[in-house]
């Protein structure tokens, strides 16, 4: 048997492909468009591995997806492919609608036609697993209970609105056509291979380069952090034993204000790679203008996946963040390679806008 992973050259998708092939020998087809966020070096360790096939292409390219499904007959599609960065969605929402909404729609249609044409045995085992986010639930008040799967869908950014739209399409394809779908809504991931436009890797690479560590607004926005390999193990679990048509929230019970995340990274770097001038990295922290529409707090109630499927994260935040910082220190060539001209253009555009104070 084979699985088709989309977006497998990005942060979570690449960790998933690596994690999958560490756990089993079932081949993986990786369909990825290779946008700025897709990086084939993330999968360098699989060169020559007969269990892995890479195909460059768009999930919205129906002819290509039809051809891949017919040729490889996968028993599951796991859809990671997306535009994923909230700040970019504010600067330019169009790509988010194209990939996250139209792309998911076309992928669902390809999956539906493929699945409907299968013989009963293959039809029964087929799964379409859609990887989504806690951001579809909107923002939480400080003392509100964490998001359950029944929470209202109230997305606030172009990114989260596009993901919410894709979740609705997936739900409807199950309800109307019976397509065997599963949806996961996960909190903020961190870990190796995280592109340094996102908070944790940006802080690590900026700190080491002697640059400012930009904290939006008052730095008291709360995110719920999960080590990326725990997200991968949760997806494997949902794929194996999740109930069809269900949504599973995935989280690490690790709510932390952004400023605490930044301070933790600084303190780890102080231990592992102290500055040569004897000062702490915290002196580089700079408060900058806030993100428009910035959600104040996300928190995932992960009891359903624990109760029904027996999944729990393996890492604590302390163990996961230490591993992560160490990974960046050990991979300066990866960091240099992703900080291409295009990356520098983005950083200039995003942070020039924010110069000055909160
Ligand atoms: P990422 O931006 O690092 O990677 C996205 C990947 O998708 C890239 O390799 C890119 O080339 C590919 N891609 C983009 N458009 C495509 C298209 N039209 N066709 C094929 N491939 C395309 O994203 P990530 O952080 O790895 O997130 C993966 C998924 O997980 C996304 O769906 C995201 O919404 C979801 N998610 C992310 C987080 C997080 O904290 N990063 C948390 C919860 C859910
Ligand atoms: O909650 C899950 C989501 O987490 C995923 O669906 C998204 O794909 C993923 O990008 C992430 O979204 P966030 O917006 O929470 O992640 P980001 O790393 O961009 O920001 C985390 C927090 O840190 C957020 O409150 C904004 C803040 N921030 C971010 C950057 C890049 C800063 O204060 N400074 C920064 O420079």
């Amino acid at each position: 048997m084979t699985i088709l992973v989309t977006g497998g050259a990005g942060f979570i998708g690449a960790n998933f492909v690596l994690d999958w092939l560490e756990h089993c020998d079932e081949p993986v087809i990786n369909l990825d468009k290779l946008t700025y966020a897709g990086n084939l070096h993330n999968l360098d360790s699989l060169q020559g591995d007969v269990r892995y096939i890479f195909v460059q292409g768009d999930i919205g390219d129906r002819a290509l997806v039809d051809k891949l499904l017919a040729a490889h007959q996968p028993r599951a599609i796991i859809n990671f492919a997306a535009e994923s960065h909230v700040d970019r969605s504010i600067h330019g929402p169009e790509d988010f609608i194209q990939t996250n909404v139209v792309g998911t729609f076309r992928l669902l249609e390809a999956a539906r036609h493929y699945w409907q044409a299968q013989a009963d045995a293959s039809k029964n085992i087929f799964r379409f697993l859609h990887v989504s986010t806690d951001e579809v639930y909107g923002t939480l008040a400080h003392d509100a209970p964490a998001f359950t799967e029944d929470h209202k869908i109230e997305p606030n950014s172009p990114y989260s609105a596009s993901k919410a739209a894709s979740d609705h399409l997936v739900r409807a394809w199950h309800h109307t056509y019976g397509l065997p779908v599963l949806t996961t809504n996960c909190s903020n991931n961190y870990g190796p291979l995280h592109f340094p436009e996102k908070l944790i890797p940006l802080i690590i690479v900026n700190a080491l380069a002697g640059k400012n560590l930009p904290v939006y607004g008052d730095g008291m926005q709360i995110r719920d952090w999960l080590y990326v390999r725990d997200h991968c193990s949760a997806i494997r679990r949902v794929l194996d034993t999740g109930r069809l048509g269900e949504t599973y929230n995935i989280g690490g019970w690790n709510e932390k204000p952004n400023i605490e995340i930044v301070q933790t990274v600084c303190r780890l770097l102080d231990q592992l790679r102290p500055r040569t001038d004897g000062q702490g990295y915290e002196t580089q922290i700079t408060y900058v203008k806030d993100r428009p529409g910035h959600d104040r707090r996300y928190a995932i109630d992960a009891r359903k996946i624990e109760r029904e499927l027996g999944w729990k994260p393996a890492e604590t935040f302390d163990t996961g963040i230490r591993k992560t910082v160490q990974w960046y220190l050990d991979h300066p060539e990866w960091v240099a390679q992703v900080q291409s001209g295009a990356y520098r253009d983005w950083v200039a555009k995003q942070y020039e806008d924010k110069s000055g104070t909160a």
Side-chain angles (χ1 to χ4, degrees), residues 27-38:
V28 179
I29 317 296
N30 175 13
L31 170 65
D32 196 296
K33 187 175 171 183
L34 296 183
T35 67
Y36 78 92

Side-chain angles (χ1 to χ4, degrees), residues 32-97:
D32 196 296
K33 187 175 171 183
L34 296 183
T35 67
Y36 78 92
N39 181 359
L40 284 183
H41 289 299
N42 291 346
L43 297 157
D44 274 350
S45 61
L46 297 179
Q47 266 173 28
D49 191 322
V50 293
R51 300 169 303 168
Y52 172 69
I53 294 174
F54 175 72
V55 179
Q56 183 171 6
D58 194 320
I59 57 167
D61 181 344
R62 181 67 198 279
L64 173 65
V65 177
D66 284 348
K67 206 169 86 187
L68 283 177
L69 293 174
H72 298 285
Q73 298 283 309
R75 64 148 175 127
I77 297 174
I78 300 151
N79 184 31
F80 292 94
E83 290 293 336
S84 71
H85 190 33
V86 174
D87 292 321
R88 286 188 193 252
S89 82
I90 295 167
H91 283 280
E94 179 89 33
D95 289 346
F96 289 73
I97 303 304

Side-chain angles (χ1 to χ4, degrees), residues 85 87 196-221 225 257-263 265-266 281-291 294 339 343 346-358:
H85 190 33
D87 292 321
E197 64 183 356
K198 309 281 171 69
L199 180 68
I200 290 179
L202 181 90
I203 295 302
I204 300 171
V205 305
N206 276 16
L208 293 172
K211 295 184 179 160
N212 287 342
L213 310 181
V215 173
Y216 296 169
D218 63 1
M220 291 307 292
Q221 301 81 9
W225 295 92
N258 293 337
I259 187 64
E260 198 181 313
I261 295 290
V262 175
Q263 287 164 339
V265 168
C266 288
Y281 286 99
E282 282 192 34
T283 57
Q284 291 167 234
I285 292 176
T286 312
Y287 288 89
V288 300
K289 204 158 77 187
D290 209 350
R291 172 186 280 175
H294 199 171
Q339 289 178 310
Y343 174 78
W346 161 254
V347 170
K349 181 168 159 195
Q350 167 68 0
Y351 295 95
E352 255 164 37
D353 268 13
K354 291 189 180 295
S355 58
T357 52

Side-chain angles (χ1 to χ4, degrees), residues 126-320:
F126 182 77
R127 298 286 182 271
F128 183 103
L129 192 153
H130 180 61
V131 179
S132 192
T133 169
D134 60 359
E135 299 203 10
V136 301
Y137 299 121
T139 189
L140 282 172
H142 197 72
D143 53 356
F147 300 128
T148 65
E149 289 77 1
D150 299 324
H151 198 280
K152 263 192 297 187
I153 304 293
E154 284 182 321
N156 290 320
S157 72
Y159 163 68
S160 55
S162 69
K163 289 297 288 186
S166 68
D167 294 9
H168 286 317
L169 291 173
V170 171
R171 180 189 154 85
W173 260 238
H174 176 68
H175 191 80
T176 303
Y177 304 110
L179 187 70
V181 307
L182 297 154
T183 299
T184 56
N185 292 87
C186 188
S187 61
N188 283 62
N189 285 212
Y190 68 98
L193 309 177
H194 206 180
F195 193 72
E197 64 183 356
K198 309 281 171 69
L199 180 68
I200 290 179
L202 181 90
I203 295 302
I204 300 171
V205 305
N206 276 16
L208 293 172
K211 295 184 179 160
N212 287 342
L213 310 181
V215 173
Y216 296 169
D218 63 1
M220 291 307 292
Q221 301 81 9
I222 292 173
R223 297 290 182 269
D224 187 351
W225 295 92
L226 181 71
Y227 190 66
V228 62
R229 288 292 182 116
D230 278 326
H231 188 186
C232 297
S233 75
I235 291 171
R236 280 192 281 108
R237 185 66 59 87
V238 173
L239 184 66
D240 283 350
T241 54
R243 283 189 293 131
L244 292 187
E246 289 290 314
T247 289
Y248 293 93
N249 282 357
I250 304 172
W253 304 100
N254 272 313
E255 280 187 64
K256 300 204 183 293
N258 293 337
I259 187 64
E260 198 181 313
I261 295 290
V262 175
Q263 287 164 339
T264 302
V265 168
C266 288
R267 280 197 284 270
L268 276 168
L269 286 171
D270 288 340
Q271 285 171 29
L272 299 169
R273 180 71 56 83
R275 271 173 51 159
T276 49
D277 63 2
Q279 297 219 49
Y281 286 99
E282 282 192 34
T283 57
Q284 291 167 234
I285 292 176
T286 312
Y287 288 89
V288 300
K289 204 158 77 187
D290 209 350
R291 172 186 280 175
H294 199 171
D295 283 339
R296 196 69 184 164
R297 175 177 166 236
Y298 304 141
I300 279 281
D301 181 332
R303 281 179 297 182
K304 177 177 172 184
I305 187 171
E306 182 175 350
R307 191 177 59 244
E308 287 192 11
L309 310 185
W311 175 87
K312 273 206 281 199
E315 299 288 344
T316 64
F317 188 71
D318 287 351
T319 58

